Amino acid sequence: INANATSVASAESLPSVQRKLSSASTQLRASASAGQIARGSAQNGSRERAKMAEMLLQLDENSKESNAQRAEIRRLREQVGGLMTVPPRSGSARAPGGAGEH
């Protein structure tokens, strides 16, 4: 998937994309005659629907991962902010040039 397609897909909500996919597949099924063997464009349509479903699953997975990463970043920022407001302990601060520095 190129960056442009990803940004377009991520801008559109997953339920909206799923509705469009469902509507498109319903239209494809309605146009096929009963009892006919799927050939040519019908097979291509099936492959395209399978590919679209795969892409939707990947989009959903990416969205979940992105949300988890945002939550982790938020948690880490809160942790850093909390550490910056805590005064240093008197015994833990090292003097410059003291033992332990290289």
Side-chain angles (χ1 to χ4, degrees):
I1 301 174
N2 65 32
N4 191 23
T6 303
S7 65
V8 170
S10 62
E12 205 169 346
S13 70
L14 184 59
S16 170
V17 174
Q18 288 173 330
R19 280 192 303 275
K20 286 181 182 178
L21 177 62
S22 176
S23 172
S25 62
T26 301
Q27 290 170 356
L28 286 174
R29 275 184 262 134
S31 65
S33 298
Q36 287 187 336
I37 296 174
R39 293 189 185 146
S41 63
Q43 288 177 340
N44 290 340
S46 178
R47 281 189 213 117
E48 288 176 11
R49 283 192 301 276
K51 178 124 176 127
M52 181 63 78
E54 182 181 330
M55 290 171 59
L56 286 171
L57 288 173
Q58 185 66 48
L59 178 65
D60 190 42
E61 185 178 312
N62 290 351
S63 177
K64 287 177 183 176
E65 184 176 348
S66 178
N67 288 337
Q69 289 174 348
R70 277 193 210 104
E72 179 71 6
I73 290 169
R74 193 177 309 115
R75 186 189 68 76
L76 290 170
R77 283 184 178 151
E78 289 171 359
Q79 187 177 7
V80 167
L83 290 172
M84 292 180 73
T85 59
V86 174
R89 295 184 212 142
S90 59
S92 66
R94 293 188 207 164
E101 286 194 21
H102 299 283

